[in-house]
């Protein structure tokens, strides 16, 4: 007779105990800010449409290199150039005045 009383009490205790564990709130920190790297977007640009100061800078600083491809920001304030010099290919950045921009990332 004692077993008949202990078994339902034990089952009820387990049920209440697991319900309490599932109902606990997980602490959240709403002040956490996720910082994702910003991908700069360049629009493809024909080499012949590059500003003359950019072409002059390439001729001066990368003599003998050819511009394989070019891209520009939407406001044309910055240009991305893929240069090929011999079998070496490099990506460089410059502004509209032909000044080189360092991209470290």
């Amino acid at each position: 007779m004692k077993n008949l009383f202990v078994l339902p009490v034990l089952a009820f205790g387990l049920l209440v105990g697991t319900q309490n564990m599932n109902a606990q709130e997980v602490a959240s920190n709403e002040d956490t800010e996720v910082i994702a790297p910003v991908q700069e977007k360049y629009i493809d640009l024909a080499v012949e449409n590059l500003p003359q100061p950019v072409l002059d800078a390439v001729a001066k600083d990368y003599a003998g290199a050819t511009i394989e491809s070019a891209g520009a920001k939407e406001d044309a304030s910055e240009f991305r150039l893929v240069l090929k010099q011999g079998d070496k290919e490099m990506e460089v950045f410059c502004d509209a005045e032909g000044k080189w921009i360092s991209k470290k990332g």
Side-chain angles (χ1 to χ4, degrees):
M1 187 79 169
K2 191 176 181 182
N3 287 339
L4 290 176
F5 178 74
V6 173
L7 188 60
V9 170
L10 182 63
F12 181 73
L14 287 173
L15 179 66
V16 170
T18 57
Q19 289 293 332
N20 190 22
M21 286 178 14
N22 289 338
Q24 290 178 351
E25 288 186 33
V26 176
S28 67
N29 185 358
E30 293 181 17
D31 295 334
T32 303
E33 185 176 327
V34 177
I35 300 174
V38 176
Q39 295 285 345
E40 296 185 72
K41 185 175 180 178
Y42 291 90
I43 300 167
D44 288 336
L45 183 67
V47 174
E48 55 269 7
N49 292 335
L50 287 169
Q52 192 60 45
V54 173
L55 296 172
D56 293 342
V58 171
K60 177 184 170 214
D61 297 332
Y62 294 96
T66 57
I67 303 172
E68 295 291 309
S69 65
K73 283 190 176 180
E74 285 187 24
D75 61 357
S77 64
E78 188 175 302
F79 298 89
R80 176 190 50 81
L81 308 171
V82 176
L83 305 179
K84 187 167 186 176
Q85 196 166 29
D87 36 337
K88 181 179 164 189
E89 195 169 272
M90 64 195 103
E91 185 176 58
V92 295
F93 300 88
C94 70
D95 64 15
E97 287 81 40
K99 296 178 184 158
W100 300 110
I101 300 170
S102 174
K103 295 281 183 175
K104 295 183 181 179

